[in-house]
Amino acid sequence: MKIRRLQFVDGKIRFIKKMDSKDTSIQDVLLQRGVRIAELLQTEKGEPWADKNGELYVLSNELEGRVISELIPELGECYGQALAVLHKALKSIILKDHYKDMDLVQQLSKWAIPQTIEAAKRIGRREEMSNFADLMTSIGFPSFTQLPKQLIHRDPHPGNMLFADDGTIGFLDFDISVNGIRLFDLCYLCTSQWMTAFSDPKKQIIWLELIRQLRQGYEKVETLLEEERTSAFFVMCAIQMIFIAFWQDQNRADLTEMNLKALFDLIKNQSKIDNAFRLDEETSQMGVNTFLKG
């Protein structure tokens, strides 16, 4: 059992979860900083965890809110701002040994890129993918080393972000939090929505507006560096490659091919993604320049 939903006689829903360590620093700091997360209940001994036969468990209340699986641009600013507030709180946590360091370059070069090229070969697009892999290596990799790192959520898709009636966002599941580039979380949220949009031209337009709103909301709290703006496209592609490699390892040819097609369509939208991550005044100036040139 990793996590189990329980209904008590008082009608309340609680969750019991197996833990790998006694460290609850993430929960403690986030609650202190006003981030909405599931609050851990204490035992009779006043501890947030219980030890049973050498295994650790925690019990938490149900977190208020609902999952909105397909985000609309009108909610983008709210979700982006909530993610930035989370990052600001996570940044204050002292990193400990059990928080792994995410080496995105190594993960891509040793695993995800070779697997993606192999998957592309099966559908007759190996050369096209190899060319993009060269671009990722020559431009993407060097930019990744310049991006700010901190403790990140690592899995901030809408299923782990609960929308409450008051417009606030609550966060679930910090089990795979790592020390990684903070841009990864924002791009992960963007690509989670790309999977429902890439095959529909109309939805692609909506998605591009959504990621612009997510970025704007994020920057109401935390300012992105210029290196982060110019790297967002490559980070999104990196995430897509990781999913391709994962499904390839799972022998799921259907999901591998679907994610591969999503990657190719993502690549086609590079300039539009870059525009969505530019500051508004920069985007406006580009429009003016295009008009004057026309």
Side-chain angles (χ1 to χ4, degrees), residues 23-88:
D23 181 46
T24 60
S25 57
I26 285 184
Q27 289 84 355
D28 296 339
V29 171
L30 295 187
L31 286 172
Q32 291 170 8
R33 295 297 185 98
V35 178
R36 283 209 311 113
I37 60 171
E39 190 170 355
L40 300 182
L41 303 179
Q42 292 192 337
T43 65
E44 293 179 348
K45 297 179 180 179
E47 297 170 335
W49 41 263
D51 188 328
K52 183 178 181 181
N53 300 324
E55 294 184 334
L56 299 173
Y57 297 89
V58 294
L59 187 69
S60 64
N61 283 321
E62 184 178 28
L63 185 62
E64 179 187 354
R66 65 186 188 277
V67 172
I68 300 177
S69 56
E70 289 193 29
L71 301 182
I72 56 176
E74 289 77 9
L75 291 176
E77 192 170 292
C78 176
Y79 274 73
Q81 189 169 346
L83 184 60
V85 170
L86 174 67
H87 278 175
K88 197 167 186 177

Side-chain angles (χ1 to χ4, degrees), residues 231-246:
S231 299
F233 163 73
F234 287 106
V235 175
M236 289 186 198
C237 290
I239 292 167
Q240 203 58 48
M241 287 178 166
I242 290 170
F243 274 100
I244 292 167
F246 173 80

Side-chain angles (χ1 to χ4, degrees), residues 37-265:
I37 60 171
E39 190 170 355
L40 300 182
L41 303 179
Q42 292 192 337
T43 65
E44 293 179 348
K45 297 179 180 179
E47 297 170 335
W49 41 263
D51 188 328
K52 183 178 181 181
N53 300 324
E55 294 184 334
L56 299 173
Y57 297 89
V58 294
L59 187 69
S60 64
N61 283 321
E62 184 178 28
L63 185 62
E64 179 187 354
R66 65 186 188 277
V67 172
I68 300 177
S69 56
E70 289 193 29
L71 301 182
I72 56 176
E74 289 77 9
L75 291 176
E77 192 170 292
C78 176
Y79 274 73
Q81 189 169 346
L83 184 60
V85 170
L86 174 67
H87 278 175
K88 197 167 186 177
L90 288 175
K91 189 177 181 180
S92 67
I93 296 176
I94 298 174
L95 293 175
K96 300 182 180 179
D97 292 339
H98 59 268
Y99 294 128
K100 295 180 180 179
D101 189 79
M102 183 178 71
D103 189 335
L104 188 57
V105 169
Q106 183 177 32
Q107 192 174 17
L108 290 167
S109 60
K110 301 295 184 182
W111 174 57
I113 288 179
Q115 289 282 56
T116 299
I117 292 174
E118 183 61 29
K121 180 181 178 182
R122 289 203 303 271
I123 62 172
R125 302 181 73 172
R126 184 186 188 283
E127 183 177 358
E128 185 179 352
M129 183 48 59
S130 294
N131 290 338
F132 179 72
D134 290 341
L135 189 66
M136 173 71 84
T137 302
S138 61
I139 299 178
F141 284 8
S143 72
F144 294 165
T145 62
Q146 302 175 41
L147 303 180
K149 295 182 70 174
Q150 63 165 81
L151 187 62
I152 61 173
H153 186 285
R154 176 62 180 81
D155 193 23
H157 59 79
N160 283 331
M161 303 174 72
L162 302 187
F163 184 82
D165 292 337
D166 62 1
T168 60
I169 307 294
F171 290 87
L172 300 172
D173 194 4
F174 292 86
D175 287 350
I176 59 173
S177 293
V178 295
N179 178 37
I181 57 176
R182 69 171 181 173
L183 183 63
F184 186 93
D185 275 355
L186 181 56
C187 289
Y188 193 95
L189 181 56
C190 292
T191 55
S192 73
Q193 299 300 290
W194 177 244
M195 293 307 299
T196 63
F198 79 91
S199 60
D200 185 331
K202 291 183 180 179
K203 285 188 175 182
Q204 285 191 19
I205 295 172
I206 295 172
W207 178 78
L208 287 164
E209 176 59 22
L210 171 63
I211 66 172
R212 188 176 73 86
Q213 294 294 336
L214 286 169
R215 190 271 301 165
Q216 285 184 338
Y218 189 93
E219 292 210 90
K220 283 195 169 184
V221 179
E222 292 278 79
T223 301
L224 293 172
L225 301 181
E226 180 61 24
E227 291 83 357
E228 291 177 295
R229 298 180 194 286
T230 57
S231 299
F233 163 73
F234 287 106
V235 175
M236 289 186 198
C237 290
I239 292 167
Q240 203 58 48
M241 287 178 166
I242 290 170
F243 274 100
I244 292 167
F246 173 80
W247 291 121
Q248 177 105 319
D249 284 348
Q250 299 297 313
N251 295 317
R252 288 295 304 272
D254 55 338
L255 293 176
T256 300
E257 186 171 335
M258 182 180 73
N259 279 272
L260 187 58
K261 289 179 179 178
L263 173 61
F264 280 120
D265 278 358

